[in-house]
Amino acid sequence: MAVEVREQVVEAAPAYDVARVRDDFAIFEQKIHGNPLVFLDSAASAQKPRQVIEALRHCYEEEYANIHRGVYYLSERATEAFEAARVKVQRFLNAGEAREIVFVRGGTEGINLVASSYGRAHLGPGDEIILSHMEHHSNIVPWQILRAEKGVVLRVAPIDDDGNFLLDEFEKLLNPRTRLVAITHASNALGTIVPVKEVVKRAHAYGVKVLVDGCQAVVHMPVDVQDIDCDFYVFSGHKLYGPTGIGVLYGKAQLLESMPPYQGGGEMIRSVTFAATEYNVIPHKFEAGTPHIAGAIGLGAAIDYVSELGLDRIGAHEQSLLAYATERIGEFNSVRMYGSAKHKASILSFTIEGVHPHDAGTILDRQGIAVRAGHHCAQPVMERFGIAATVRASFGLYNTVEDVDALAAGVATTLDIFG
Amino acid sequence: MFDDLRELYQEVILDHSKRPRNFGRLEANNRRARGHNPLCGDILSLYLVIKDGVVEDVAFEGNGCAISMASASLMTEIVKGKGEAEARELFERFHRLLTSDDADPDLLDLDKLAVFAGVREFPVRVKCATLAWHTLTAALDGQTDDVSTED
């Protein structure tokens, strides 16, 4: 019997060329205290490639006017560019429709919008909201504000000592009074990646809506909101190598339509008389006032940038750095690491015995190494581990093996100075 | 290498941060205050026994970075036995040491506190060094609210 042999030509993907990537970031040309910049704080805010800066320049120098109102050429061009950015975000998240993408100032405003609009309209006394133990303050405080106003109850889904999210423990919290789950996709303090698709599945079984805080996730991996099936998803532009002051709230169209406006003003109305106002359709209903036009366009450029590199390849590059860093930093007997979840983003949180993180941050800084030292705006999870602060090194698409070596050398210097 | 770091984290400072003096609660206090640096989470409670306008006894507890702990420890040593006005005046001179480039540590008559001169090269750390002193001022003022470096 003849066997058909089919030859398969597999083209090897080109290796991730981090040196070329770094050339896109002018900030690496400078020295910090006489040393090359080792930037390990992208989880707080990422550096910007020339492509994003060029998009901002192009917007302001060549295509700038207010949007959605002018009948003239420049306004049309600016409106087109702004709405094209919305479509880029839609594709980036694989949202079903562009009108499900609301531009906001950042992840924080996205959550506040949902708490304020959806929360006030749909939640009441005794209704329960489930958060995880490792939420950023921005996914805790808006719900506490709602609690003070509406009497909702906040429940906290636990994590284990490695920082793993405990899906079954979470499920036990679901009950007929549960109305909403507001949960991080990836923890900024521990790096833990939460199985949000499974969270959504179990929450939806109880008819509970789910908001996912994707600020630390969209930068490391491809995200598909239709696959996750979450009801809301938020992220910030500035952590995704885009401008500050711009972020995204994705919401299912039907939900956004059922929600009252967040702020009143221009843009969000269809007609206004002193007797009554007819609101605009989504997403414009939630975009009162002149938005951050250049910011949205810059975010679009950032999305083009990471998409061209490929989120899968960026993630793989960062994971190899995380593995190497975990090994190198783990070699120090006096270092204790926090967060070793099975699935984690490229975030390394640690303390050095006898050295306060703030002091370590100062010593590393003098060697040109930028890390975050503190509670990372996630005090409840710090408390969970009985610590006030950690040193956090986070790895982005431009970091290198040499950066990890510099961090290890920096920790050694820190120990040396502290005797 | 790292001369400025070694100047900042010199032996006296490391020693006081690792083994702070007058550390603990002073039950017999008649003035106390709590200080907090919300930026880095440093927190300390200061207890004073003031008699006839003189700091008769002082103690503190809390946790924070080496600079804030050493500053609190050295402060308790130096203000013990001093008059209230003298203590406040000392803080003014200490503050000048940390913030003004032309201040001559020798002329400021700061005794042991001169070891903090290195902080001047690290402006973001000035608040760490002054937290204990702000708390002392609040305690002397009879303030009962927490004092924050951000107020």
Side-chain angles (χ1 to χ4, degrees), chain A residues 340-353:
Chain A
S340 51
K342 279 191 213 90
H343 299 286
K344 65 174 280 192
S346 51
I347 284 171
L348 195 70
S349 230
F350 60 95
T351 54
I352 307 169
E353 198 186 320

Side-chain angles (χ1 to χ4, degrees), chain A residues 171-193:
Chain A
E171 191 166 19
K172 286 181 196 158
L173 294 175
L174 289 163
N175 73 76
R177 293 312 308 263
T178 314
R179 291 287 177 272
L180 185 74
V181 174
I183 193 155
T184 189
H185 195 169
S187 156
N188 74 312
L190 303 176
T192 306
I193 293 170

Side-chain angles (χ1 to χ4, degrees), chain A residues 274-328:
Chain A
F274 280 111
T277 288
E278 193 191 333
Y279 299 129
N280 205 338
V281 294
I282 62 166
H284 311 294
K285 180 169 79 174
F286 297 107
E287 294 179 353
T290 297
H292 188 359
I293 301 166
I297 291 167
L299 174 58
I303 286 173
D304 287 342
Y305 185 79
V306 296
S307 301
E308 202 170 306
L309 286 175
L311 257 310
D312 279 322
R313 295 171 71 226
I314 292 169
H317 171 72
E318 292 167 342
Q319 283 298 315
S320 72
L321 291 178
L322 176 66
Y324 181 54
T326 305
E327 184 194 318
R328 287 297 312 273

Side-chain angles (χ1 to χ4, degrees), chain B:
Chain B
M1 234 172 37
F2 307 121
D3 288 347
D4 48 359
L5 284 172
R6 297 202 187 273
E7 166 76 14
L8 179 68
Y9 294 108
Q10 53 184 279
E11 203 50 49
V12 178
I13 289 178
L14 291 179
D15 175 45
H16 275 263
S17 74
K18 286 172 188 166
R19 290 181 296 111
R21 322 296 198 265
N22 302 306
F23 193 84
R25 205 182 153 82
L26 198 56
E27 294 298 344
N29 72 80
N30 55 9
R31 305 276 179 86
R32 63 180 171 272
R34 268 161 52 92
H36 181 217
N37 182 345
L39 294 184
C40 56
D42 287 2
I43 191 155
L44 72 88
S45 298
L46 186 71
Y47 309 96
L48 297 170
V49 177
I50 303 284
K51 204 173 169 193
D52 303 327
V54 171
V55 180
E56 195 159 81
D57 204 359
V58 54
F60 81 102
E61 56 186 359
N63 65 67
C65 64
I67 307 298
S68 70
M69 289 298 105
S71 176
S73 173
L74 279 153
M75 179 189 81
T76 58
E77 282 198 335
I78 207 161
V79 300
K80 205 183 274 191
K82 287 204 163 54
E84 278 190 49
E86 207 181 339
R88 289 177 197 268
E89 210 250 326
L90 193 55
F91 179 24
E92 269 176 44
R93 296 208 302 277
F94 182 58
H95 200 263
R96 234 180 295 152
L97 172 77
L98 303 180
T99 54
S100 67
D101 286 339
D102 50 1
D104 181 346
D106 295 336
L107 296 179
L108 288 170
D109 188 21
L110 284 162
D111 196 2
K112 286 183 209 165
L113 297 181
V115 297
F116 288 98
V119 174
R120 209 188 299 168
E121 300 302 320
F122 299 81
V124 298
R125 306 304 300 274
V126 169
K127 283 173 181 170
C128 308
T130 54
L131 175 63
W133 290 88
H134 282 296
T135 312
L136 174 69
T137 307
L140 292 175
D141 289 345
Q143 232 173 280
T144 48
D145 291 340
D146 288 5
V147 52
S148 163
T149 52
E150 298 309 294
D151 290 343

Side-chain angles (χ1 to χ4, degrees), chain A residues 149-231:
Chain A
E149 200 182 312
K150 286 285 189 176
V152 297
V153 176
L154 305 185
R155 309 287 297 272
V156 180
I159 55 175
D160 67 16
D161 289 344
D162 292 330
N164 287 298
F165 179 75
L166 300 170
L167 202 49
D168 292 338
E169 295 302 312
F170 156 76
E171 191 166 19
K172 286 181 196 158
L173 294 175
L174 289 163
N175 73 76
R177 293 312 308 263
T178 314
R179 291 287 177 272
L180 185 74
V181 174
I183 193 155
T184 189
H185 195 169
S187 156
N188 74 312
L190 303 176
T192 306
I193 293 170
V194 174
V196 287
K197 188 176 173 180
E198 196 55 37
V199 166
V200 170
K201 203 171 134 195
R202 298 191 188 189
H204 281 181
Y206 282 77
V208 173
K209 305 285 185 238
V210 181
L211 174 146
V212 177
D213 171 1
C215 288
Q216 299 292 342
V218 292
V219 298
H220 300 301
M221 58 183 153
V223 169
D224 180 333
V225 291
Q226 293 190 81
D227 179 56
I228 296 169
D229 199 26
C230 54
D231 301 283

Side-chain angles (χ1 to χ4, degrees), chain A residues 2-35:
Chain A
V3 178
E4 198 187 342
V5 178
R6 275 224 255 146
E7 223 176 276
Q8 218 178 341
V9 181
V10 180
E11 258 183 72
Y16 188 83
D17 188 352
V18 71
R20 216 207 64 203
V21 168
R22 287 172 73 84
D23 284 342
D24 292 330
F25 293 81
I27 202 144
F28 293 122
E29 289 163 16
Q30 69 183 305
K31 300 260 183 198
I32 305 289
H33 304 301
N35 297 290

